[in-house]
Amino acid sequence: MRKIEHIGIAVKDLNASNALFTKLLGKKHFKTERVEGEAVETSFFQVGETKVELLQATSENSAIAKYLQKKSEGIHHIAFDVEDIHAEVERLKAEGFEILNETPKQGADNKLVVFLHPRSTNGVLVELCQEKA
Ligand code: ZN
């Protein structure tokens, strides 16, 4: 893994949180993007080499909606940038990590993404992401 690509934060109200993080970071988000497959609306802030991704559910069935019901707003996942997502999946499987989707899926921000189950990673939902060519 090469760097922390972004930190995903679950929020209830994306507009309100965009305003909050604009004040916090001293800069505006550089994009918003809806990911239909995940039923989320996202926005991204650039902070040096790393991004902050805010996630709001667009449906009751969204993983973010379920997360907000069980927990509250806050850090939802940490995403690591990888060079070869297929090789990383094989490596992590061999190490005994529980992969939620072995076939990479389309994520926000032109990425292929794979998630690891938090029960195999000390309670942290880990995302691997690889920039699509
Ligand atoms: Zn993410």
Side-chain angles (χ1 to χ4, degrees):
M1 301 192 195
R2 301 191 292 194
K3 65 172 182 180
I4 293 178
E5 212 284 332
H6 64 268
I7 295 171
I9 298 175
V11 305
K12 289 177 183 157
D13 179 336
L14 193 61
N15 286 330
S17 295
N18 278 337
L20 177 75
F21 275 80
T22 297
K23 272 194 256 180
L24 176 70
L25 300 172
K27 61 177 83 176
K28 285 196 57 133
H29 56 286
F30 64 90
K31 76 153 126 183
T32 60
E33 184 179 345
R34 183 177 279 251
V35 184
E36 294 296 347
E38 299 289 319
V40 291
E41 179 89 17
T42 66
S43 67
F44 285 89
F45 292 78
Q46 190 76 45
V47 187
E49 279 213 329
T50 302
K51 295 166 199 157
V52 170
E53 174 188 35
L54 303 183
L55 302 124
Q56 177 196 281
T58 58
S59 128
E60 292 288 293
N61 300 321
S62 162
I64 295 299
K66 289 171 188 157
Y67 182 87
L68 288 173
Q69 275 165 20
K70 263 200 289 189
K71 303 193 178 172
S72 63
E73 293 183 299
I75 294 181
H76 177 257
H77 64 269
I78 297 181
F80 294 95
D81 174 63
V82 299
E83 192 167 9
D84 180 343
I85 199 164
H86 298 281
E88 272 306 284
V89 166
E90 288 311 311
R91 185 181 73 80
L92 294 169
K93 254 170 67 180
E95 293 283 8
F97 291 97
E98 196 175 334
I99 316 288
L100 281 168
N101 59 299
E102 288 189 21
T103 305
K105 55 187 178 180
Q106 177 69 49
D109 200 27
N110 195 41
K111 301 282 195 296
L112 286 174
V113 301
V114 167
F115 288 94
L116 307 191
H117 199 292
R119 73 178 151 234
S120 67
T121 50
N122 279 173
V124 178
L125 178 59
V126 169
E127 174 186 334
L128 310 178
C129 60
Q130 180 185 346
E131 186 88 26
K132 283 174 78 180

